[in-house]
Amino acid sequence: MGSHSTIDGIFENFVKSAQLFRDREVLRHDYLPESLPHREEQIRLLGETVAPVLKDARCSNIFIYGKTGTGKTAVTKYVLGHLETKAKEYGAPVRFSYVNCRMTGSAYRVFANLTQSLGMSVPFTGLSVGEVFDRFRGRLDSSRTNFIAVLDEIDALIKDRGDSVLYELTRINEGLSKSKFSLIGISNDLRLKEFLDPRVFSSLSEEEIVFRPYDASELRNILLERSKLSFHEGSLSDAALSICSALAAAEHGDARRALDLLRVAGEVAERRGSKLVSEEHVREAEKHIEHDRVVEALKNLTLHSKLVLLSVYRLSKSSATTGEIFDVYSQLCGELGSGLLTQRRLGTLINELDSMGLVNAKVVSMGRYGRTKKIRLEISRTLVKDVFHSDSRLGRFFDPIRNSF
């Protein structure tokens, strides 16, 4: 009976207590607001670029980039939503398809999704990527339409598969007689050019739109607009709003992070039975989110990045050199029966882990012995252990019987 009554108590308290949220969904990142403050310029640029499809002309390929939480996806969906309504009014044969490459996973699934948006199903596996592409092209041509494909988080596709997929897509119009195809690529990685063949890049970015990070006052406006819809009046303190904007602006002008902070701060306040979201609740929320972000980042690393991080963990001293890491990494690959990456490629992975804040890599001078990189773990060892322990391939390294760690 005891445990039963506690859980019932929790539920009843929740229902009875002061409700802070009017609608917490408004603070989720996939919520599409009515208006997008501080993005008028980008909306106008994108609108002008896609407008020709209303007169049955092909629009330019567009490359949109900026860091996460700068409004790229929201602006694109907003503009294309309005374009769709206009196209229906004018009877223009326009079709859209939105694919998030990171969620979709493979090149195969990307083409399958595009094909399905034209009403033709594709088996879940079994064909080659080339065959799925041919089906898409055939179906597209026979549908006599002006097709705009949005590939969001396109960097995930390129880092996974190289630029062959994009190369095919940028040349697809040569094989179409009755339809037209345009591509909108959205990237969170500003250095994407470095990964792409120059020919592919120039045909992908016939038009380029850059989204700059929001500053603190812009973030404050965005949060103020959203908080009117998401919180009951008077349940959010000014200080909490300001600090959410300041924290997110200091990070890198990320509205998504600001909204997350606000939502989690509201949840913390709610759990404490508080009637007002305060600065202290935001501080608490920041701890939660940071922890979750690191756990997510660790889980989503590719196998070799995980092995590199594990090597740093295994060296367990204050800092290690690239050479030492490479030795441990080679040993781990040997135990897993997995192919080795070159030491140069390993250096790139270390830099990526550094930019994610999981390790700290700094170049130090060794006097007359030249310069070397010193790499140390930036996150707690327990966190690495907890996440990798439950990883299907890496768990074995934490097995107490083998006692490798």
Side-chain angles (χ1 to χ4, degrees):
M1 174 64 198
S3 64
H4 226 58
S5 56
T6 14
I7 190 72
D8 285 345
I10 290 171
F11 293 152
E12 276 164 25
N13 280 345
F14 179 80
V15 175
K16 282 189 198 128
S17 68
Q19 290 293 298
L20 299 172
F21 287 109
R22 180 178 298 179
D23 179 3
R24 73 185 75 205
E25 291 308 308
V26 173
L27 297 174
R28 304 238 175 244
H29 357 109
D30 41 12
Y31 173 82
L32 212 67
E34 297 279 299
S35 73
L36 294 162
H38 309 296
R39 285 296 174 244
E40 298 73 17
E41 173 70 3
Q42 286 82 355
I43 289 171
R44 188 182 58 76
L45 276 170
L46 186 57
E48 286 169 357
T49 312
V50 296
V53 300
L54 295 171
K55 289 193 168 175
D56 207 20
R58 178 181 109 66
C59 73
S60 295
N61 289 336
I62 305 161
F63 184 53
I64 294 176
Y65 57 102
K67 290 206 162 113
T68 26
T70 50
K72 304 181 299 293
T73 306
V75 165
T76 306
K77 288 183 168 174
Y78 176 88
V79 171
L80 293 184
H82 284 268
L83 184 64
E84 194 163 22
T85 315
K86 275 284 173 251
K88 286 201 177 86
E89 259 176 59
Y90 294 124
V94 181
R95 293 285 282 279
F96 305 104
S97 177
Y98 170 85
V99 181
N100 181 308
C101 300
R102 198 170 57 89
M103 303 296 180
T104 310
S106 63
Y108 185 101
R109 298 293 337 138
V110 169
F111 287 137
N113 278 14
L114 293 175
T115 313
Q116 280 153 355
S117 69
L118 290 166
M120 178 187 194
S121 69
V122 172
F124 201 78
T125 53
L127 303 175
S128 69
V129 175
E131 284 172 307
V132 188
F133 180 73
D134 290 339
R135 286 193 188 187
F136 168 63
R137 191 175 45 202
R139 179 68 185 200
L140 174 57
D141 214 18
S142 62
S143 64
R144 297 176 177 274
T145 185
N146 212 329
F147 190 84
I148 298 181
V150 178
L151 298 186
D152 202 346
E153 301 206 47
I154 198 170
D155 32 29
L157 184 66
I158 293 160
K159 286 172 185 171
D160 179 41
R161 286 297 308 252
D163 49 22
S164 53
V165 177
L166 281 185
Y167 183 62
E168 295 293 338
L169 283 176
T170 53
R171 293 183 52 235
I172 194 170
N173 285 296
E174 298 163 17
L176 299 174
S177 54
K178 300 185 278 291
S179 288
K180 302 179 186 71
F181 176 86
S182 307
L183 185 62
I184 298 179
I186 304 180
S187 165
N188 293 330
D189 191 331
L190 311 183
R191 302 162 310 161
L192 196 64
K193 292 181 193 185
E194 297 168 23
F195 290 89
L196 286 171
D197 179 313
R199 288 174 311 170
V200 176
F201 186 74
S202 63
S203 46
L204 168 65
S205 61
E206 295 171 328
E207 294 284 341
E208 253 183 42
I209 303 177
V210 181
F211 281 63
R212 310 213 172 287
Y214 296 107
D215 64 31
S217 72
E218 290 171 336
L219 284 173
R220 198 190 151 92
N221 285 340
I222 293 169
L223 291 182
L224 193 60
E225 292 289 299
R226 291 285 181 100
S227 66
K228 287 175 189 159
L229 301 169
S230 55
F231 286 99
H232 287 297
E233 215 174 326
S235 59
L236 177 64
S237 73
D238 266 357
L241 197 67
S242 299
I243 197 170
C244 281
S245 328
L247 287 171
E251 186 88 352
H252 48 67
D254 182 343
R256 190 183 292 194
R257 182 180 159 78
L259 291 163
D260 274 345
L261 271 171
L262 200 53
R263 180 174 52 79
V264 178
E267 287 166 2
V268 170
E270 207 167 46
R271 261 181 242 135
R272 302 240 175 111
S274 171
K275 291 188 169 54
L276 186 72
V277 183
S278 73
E279 195 173 321
E280 181 204 348
H281 298 137
V282 178
R283 294 279 179 206
E284 182 76 15
E286 196 188 16
K287 288 198 200 97
H288 279 299
I289 288 175
E290 189 48 33
H291 179 268
D292 293 349
R293 186 191 71 82
V294 172
V295 170
E296 271 309 288
L298 287 175
K299 281 185 182 158
N300 292 327
L301 292 173
T302 59
L303 177 63
H304 286 280
S305 293
K306 284 180 178 167
L307 290 172
V308 172
L309 197 64
L310 205 50
S311 310
V312 181
Y313 174 98
R314 215 178 209 193
L315 284 158
S316 77
K317 39 188 209 178
S318 58
S319 64
T321 64
T322 317
E324 291 171 321
I325 292 171
F326 188 70
D327 293 341
V328 178
Y329 161 79
S330 313
Q331 190 190 334
L332 293 176
C333 283
E335 288 188 44
L336 276 185
S338 143
L340 272 184
L341 296 175
T342 60
Q343 193 153 354
R344 203 182 121 241
R345 183 83 187 91
L346 187 96
T348 319
L349 293 185
I350 290 175
N351 291 344
E352 273 187 13
L353 292 170
D354 177 60
S355 68
M356 291 168 80
L358 299 175
V359 303
N360 175 306
K362 63 171 195 281
V363 178
V364 288
S365 160
M366 307 282 283
R368 61 201 183 98
Y369 299 107
R371 297 148 66 78
T372 183
K373 249 197 179 136
K374 287 285 195 187
I375 295 109
R376 65 161 200 267
L377 210 53
E378 275 289 85
I379 52 179
S380 82
R381 295 177 58 80
T382 16
L383 201 56
V384 177
K385 190 174 173 179
D386 291 348
V387 175
F388 287 171
H389 191 264
S390 54
D391 184 291
S392 56
R393 286 177 291 196
L394 305 182
R396 50 187 287 188
F397 293 125
F398 294 93
D399 190 354
I401 302 154
R402 298 182 59 237
N403 206 1
S404 2
F405 284 112

